[in-house]
């Protein structure tokens, strides 16, 4: 009996000790210190320009315009919308931005990463979303998987013509799991992963929801674009490509806006499984809404897809040129 009591007490003490060692999880927020946006701009050769709107700051030079707003997560960088992880706030020194957003978004865009000369971008994995038993979004007899496959083929031809090697994670109407797709890219030693999808929205006001979105992995400790306020996501191995991811997403979204009639729904952050498993930089493109009449007409037409494929390829080639620069 004494032995049982001992074991019971020992168990209780062990449980209490364990309880002390493992405090209840608390939200991780590495928002970091906020710092002056005007000072950040000046460090990168950008000057504050007079703005017509209250609470708005524009930083410009001959080549670039950056716009931010007080109490807002909206950023327009070189004509492309981005969403910051934390709102810009008003400080004693004008508008201030979180250290996390400087590190994850502003700095890599204004001072892009560079690859060593020995590691150029040679191989691109193109992932046609869905396939086989997984049709993706379905509108009448139209299935997302058909159009992502057609688009992937065109992007492949464009990139091959530009001298790159392209690996398709599927080349036919076959089912490939979300885990296998990044694994295939890794086995092919792909330098980039570009996933192709088309969107759908059936809620109220769906006829107004249209345009292109380009996603990259949410940085550690920041919230995803569609999940404001949840900063609990921890560091994932694929977060080591954060600087490349945001640059690639930005350049592809910019090329889409320049080369198609699609609206700008912005560069976004998400922890999509395909992106969390990558062992190379990567993005996920949603090339328009199958639920919107104008987007749908473009998605279903060879001409519309050719323009989108051209823009996506151009964005990838812009990224290649930029990260391989030698100056
Ligand atoms: Zn999809």
């Amino acid at each position: 009996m004494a032995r049982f009591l001992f074991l019971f007490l020992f168990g209780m003490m062990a449980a209490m000790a364990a309880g002390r060692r493992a405090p209840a999880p608390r939200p991780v927020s590495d928002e970091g210190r906020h710092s002056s946006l005007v000072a950040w701009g000046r460090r990168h050769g950008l000057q504050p320009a007079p703005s017509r709107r209250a609470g708005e700051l524009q930083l410009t030079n001959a080549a670039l315009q950056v716009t931010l707003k007080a109490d807002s997560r909206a950023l327009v960088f070189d004509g492309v919308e981005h969403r910051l992880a934390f709102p810009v706030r008003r400080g004693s020194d004008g508008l201030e931005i979180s250290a996390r957003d400087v590190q994850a978004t502003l700095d890599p865009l204004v001072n892009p990463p560079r690859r060593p000369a020995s590691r150029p971008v040679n191989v691109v994995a193109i992932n046609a979303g869905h396939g086989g038993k997984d049709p993706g979004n379905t509108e009448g007899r139209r299935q997302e998987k058909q159009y992502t496959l057609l688009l992937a083929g065109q992007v492949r031809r464009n990139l091959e013509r530009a001298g790159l090697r392209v690996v398709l994670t599927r080349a036919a109407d076959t089912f490939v799991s979300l885990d296998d797709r990044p694994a295939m890219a890794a086995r092919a030693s792909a330098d980039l992963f570009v996933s192709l999808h088309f969107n759908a929205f059936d809620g109220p006001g769906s006829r107004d929801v249209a345009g292109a979105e380009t996603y990259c992995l949410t940085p550690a400790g920041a919230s995803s674009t569609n999940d404001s306020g949840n900063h609990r996501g921890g560091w994932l191995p694929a977060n080591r490509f954060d600087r490349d991811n945001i640059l690639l997403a930005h350049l592809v979204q910019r090329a889409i806006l320049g080369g198609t009639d699609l609206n700008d729904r912005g560069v976004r952050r998400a922890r999509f499984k395909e992106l969390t498993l990558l062992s190379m930089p990567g993005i996920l493109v949603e090339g328009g809404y199958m639920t919107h009449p104008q987007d749908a007409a473009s998605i279903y037409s060879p001409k519309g897809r050719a323009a989108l494929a051209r823009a996506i390829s151009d964005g990838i080639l812009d990224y290649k040129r930029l990260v391989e620069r030698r100056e």
Side-chain angles (χ1 to χ4, degrees):
M1 188 67 197
R3 209 172 120 227
F4 283 118
L5 186 63
F6 171 74
L7 283 173
F8 173 75
L9 286 171
F10 182 79
M12 287 279 289
M13 282 159 63
M16 283 162 68
R20 274 200 304 278
R21 274 201 306 273
R26 61 194 163 88
V28 179
S29 169
D30 52 0
E31 187 169 2
R33 212 168 55 83
H34 280 63
S35 58
S36 157
L37 269 164
V38 169
W40 174 86
R42 291 222 161 98
R43 278 200 298 283
H44 297 283
L46 296 159
Q47 301 302 325
S51 170
R52 267 163 281 152
R53 296 198 191 104
E56 187 181 89
L57 174 65
Q58 282 186 358
L59 298 168
T60 60
N61 65 16
L64 177 64
Q65 183 168 312
V66 182
T67 307
L68 299 109
K69 263 182 250 153
D71 309 316
S72 167
R73 292 170 65 204
L75 158 72
V76 182
F77 189 100
D78 196 14
V80 179
E81 280 187 28
H82 290 256
R83 293 283 288 175
L84 300 168
F86 303 94
V88 165
R89 67 183 198 194
R90 296 166 203 266
S92 51
D93 199 12
L95 295 192
E96 296 182 341
I97 187 163
S98 77
R100 197 72 195 89
D101 282 313
V102 170
Q103 187 191 3
T105 302
L106 287 185
D107 276 354
L109 293 179
V110 85
N111 181 22
R114 188 155 37 169
R115 290 171 73 101
S118 56
R119 298 219 44 232
V121 176
N122 285 333
V123 185
V124 180
I126 301 293
N127 180 57
H130 313 282
K133 67 182 180 187
D134 168 19
N137 293 313
T138 302
E139 292 298 311
R141 61 189 177 81
R142 311 279 198 176
Q143 295 178 315
E144 183 186 350
K145 66 174 184 179
Q146 304 168 260
Y147 299 100
T148 59
L149 186 61
L150 290 167
L151 184 65
Q154 281 182 293
V155 173
R156 174 195 204 167
R157 282 191 290 280
N158 295 342
L159 293 178
E160 285 179 345
R161 245 179 254 141
L164 289 167
R165 195 157 77 75
V166 174
V167 190
L168 298 180
T169 55
R170 70 178 177 97
D173 184 17
T174 49
F175 178 77
V176 184
S177 79
L178 288 180
D179 304 72
D180 282 346
R181 295 165 187 257
M184 288 168 75
R187 280 199 298 277
S189 303
D191 299 304
L192 297 178
F193 181 93
V194 176
S195 186
L196 305 175
H197 287 258
F198 293 104
N199 227 328
F201 178 67
D202 289 318
S206 66
R207 290 183 73 86
D208 298 326
V209 178
E213 301 165 3
T214 302
Y215 284 87
C216 60
L217 182 62
T218 310
S223 64
S224 296
T225 304
N226 304 334
D227 184 19
S228 63
N230 174 10
H231 299 291
R232 290 175 198 211
W235 191 88
L236 297 162
N239 279 125
R240 67 191 187 276
F241 308 114
D242 279 351
R243 288 173 61 82
D244 286 278
N245 291 342
I246 188 71
L247 179 66
L248 178 62
H250 173 76
L251 293 173
V252 168
Q253 181 75 2
R254 192 182 66 168
I256 292 172
L257 302 182
T260 72
D261 294 329
L262 292 163
N263 286 346
D264 186 10
R265 288 187 45 91
V267 169
R268 293 166 176 240
R269 313 280 201 154
R271 293 188 177 94
F272 293 137
K273 194 169 186 189
E274 287 165 68
L275 299 180
T276 64
L277 298 173
L278 294 180
S279 51
M280 71 285 298
I283 55 170
L284 186 149
V285 177
E286 294 274 6
Y289 277 76
M290 291 168 63
T291 39
H292 188 272
Q294 209 177 312
D295 279 16
S298 170
I299 294 165
Y300 305 150
S301 87
K303 200 169 153 236
R305 285 193 306 273
L308 180 58
R310 166 57 56 201
I312 292 168
S313 318
D314 286 350
I316 294 168
L317 294 170
D318 287 343
Y319 170 87
K320 175 179 164 66
R321 268 190 296 276
L322 200 49
V323 297
E324 290 177 358
R325 74 193 184 282
R326 289 291 159 255
E327 88 282 9

